[in-house]
Amino acid sequence: MVLAFFLTGCRSQEHQQNESLAADSTFGQKHRPQIHFTPKEKWMNDPNGMVYHKGQYHLFYQYYPEDIVWGPMHWGHAVSKDLIHWTHLPIALYPDSLGLIFSGSAVVDKLNTSGFGSKKNPPLVAVYTYHSQEKEKAGRTDYQYQGIAYSTDDGNTWIKYEGNPVLKNQGIKDFRDPKVFYHNESSKWVMILAVKDHVELWGSSNLKAWSKLSDFGSDYGAHGGVWECPDLFEMTLDGGATRKWVMIVSLNPGGPNGGSATQYFVGEFDGAKFTPDTHSSKIKWIDYGPDNYAGVTWSNTPGDRKIFLGWMSNWSYAQELPTMTWRGAATLPRDMTLTRVNNDVFVTSSVVDELVVISEGKKELGSLQVDKTVTLADEGFEAVSQFVLRGTFKAEDFAVVVSNSKDQSIRVGYDSGAGRFFIDRGKSGNVTFSKQFPTEIFSPRLDSDDEIEMTMVLDHSSVEVFFDNGLSVMTSLFFPDEPLSSISIHSSHPTKVARISLQKLRSIWK
Ligand code: FRU
């Protein structure tokens, strides 16, 4: 992001909370997502502190409670029992004399290594970046450092550690976004930190004292911009027979469709050092679309699940999005798995199964013969503006078009000649609010199967598309004058689409 402008002033806790209660709770404003997390009002960016604890998924997020542009950062807070419905809670962390509260993570300190709780009542510990505007304005380079805060009441209230900062800055401008996990094999906490053009790994026995383990990345992966918001975790492969480590790193700018995007590496981690499996020039993206940034995974999730969630925006135009009372949303939560394709290992993503809690009116359309155009749903079909469309297409040219009566539409499909998927949002409504808003978005096809399985989730101002079982993913925002609710499939030659279904989704706010 560009930290070139600064707004001052942080409201008192009481003032903020009273106003939040008075905020519009209908979530009915133009463009307001109905199946995605958004704050009640004002600006949000990165998800932070994602931790599962006692049946609840905590979601903190970069929040500026004064305006709908970026400003002095707080941690907003919400919880969910099912990853779909969210309850907004009071702001968890406010800026203090050490600085603004930038991105970071949270863990359950089960062994009470920090001493903030007890083994009987393990504390939650948040690890985040302090950003000192005073130091930055004074022309210093050491203005970002890491702090911790803890909660002994299951995340309701947070106390900042009096020994902050726990990791000081040695004079590097970009030194931020700690993601912490417990490494069982070496019985210690590991922090992955974004440092300008690489990540650093740090180790600790108590979350308070940190020592450097290693560096990774200055000669690997994409480097079109600064590295931010990393994550590192182990996943299984080959039905559990193999284990691999996956490192996620967001990058801004330098994404495949311009601006912000998130790349990943698959490799090994020995408790100190990460070693990637593949060659340094091979770049893999979690999501090729322009609107999924700064995403990481929940810690402490039940079973072996790796659940990812990103900020559904792009720093190139995030502050200009044409929304009024709030600005910013999260992607849908996604389960991530590993899969082998052509002797290489890739991350695949799919929307969490919990989405079923808001599903209604499923239309199983079976197989469809498409001779140029087939209409699946028009405005007569109870105006479907939040839905999941699934289908299996031949790997030939096709487009799914979702439109409204103003002839505004998005087109999503496959270009077989170019071997790539596309989203065309050029006629989707307001596309002129920023010159940086790309209208044609592409993703390479990584699979070579004869059939393309596609799952597309549409909300009032976003579409998330998962091709080839989530091997190629694209997330894109759009801003029509009225919701898009007519769906048709187009193909240049007669073709058959199998297993096509349309599932309407209920608003999560009603
Ligand atoms: C990523 C980011 C982080 C930083 C935060 C500030 O979007 O730039 O690196 O911690 O946003 O809000």
Side-chain angles (χ1 to χ4, degrees), residues 1-3 43 45-46 48 62-63 70-71 73 101-104 129 131 144 174 176-178 194 226-229 250 252 260 293-294 311 315:
M1 65 161 304
V2 183
L3 294 173
W43 168 269
N45 55 287
D46 315 354
N48 294 150
Q62 289 287 277
Y63 186 49
W70 190 90
M73 284 288 117
I101 315 294
F102 272 22
S103 287
T129 298
H131 177 103
Q144 294 185 342
D174 299 295
R176 59 178 179 267
D177 308 339
V226 69
W227 282 25
E228 300 184 313
C229 299
S250 280
N252 179 60
S260 321
Y293 193 60
W311 172 44
W315 279 118

Side-chain angles (χ1 to χ4, degrees), residues 136-201:
E136 185 184 19
K137 277 185 201 145
R140 295 172 62 147
T141 49
D142 58 352
Y143 51 78
Q144 294 185 342
Y145 30 85
Q146 322 316 319
I148 58 178
Y150 60 94
S151 171
T152 50
D153 60 2
D154 302 324
N156 280 328
T157 54
W158 292 81
I159 300 166
K160 291 184 184 130
Y161 173 49
E162 75 271 5
N164 279 337
V166 292
L167 178 54
K168 296 201 173 104
N169 188 314
Q170 309 296 331
I172 309 164
K173 273 189 186 167
D174 299 295
F175 190 70
R176 59 178 179 267
D177 308 339
K179 180 80 162 60
V180 171
F181 63 93
Y182 195 76
H183 187 248
N184 286 317
E185 289 75 8
S186 58
S187 308
K188 66 172 181 304
W189 296 102
V190 174
M191 174 198 292
I192 179 166
L193 195 68
V195 185
K196 200 171 149 186
D197 65 346
H198 64 281
V199 296
E200 291 183 2
L201 297 175

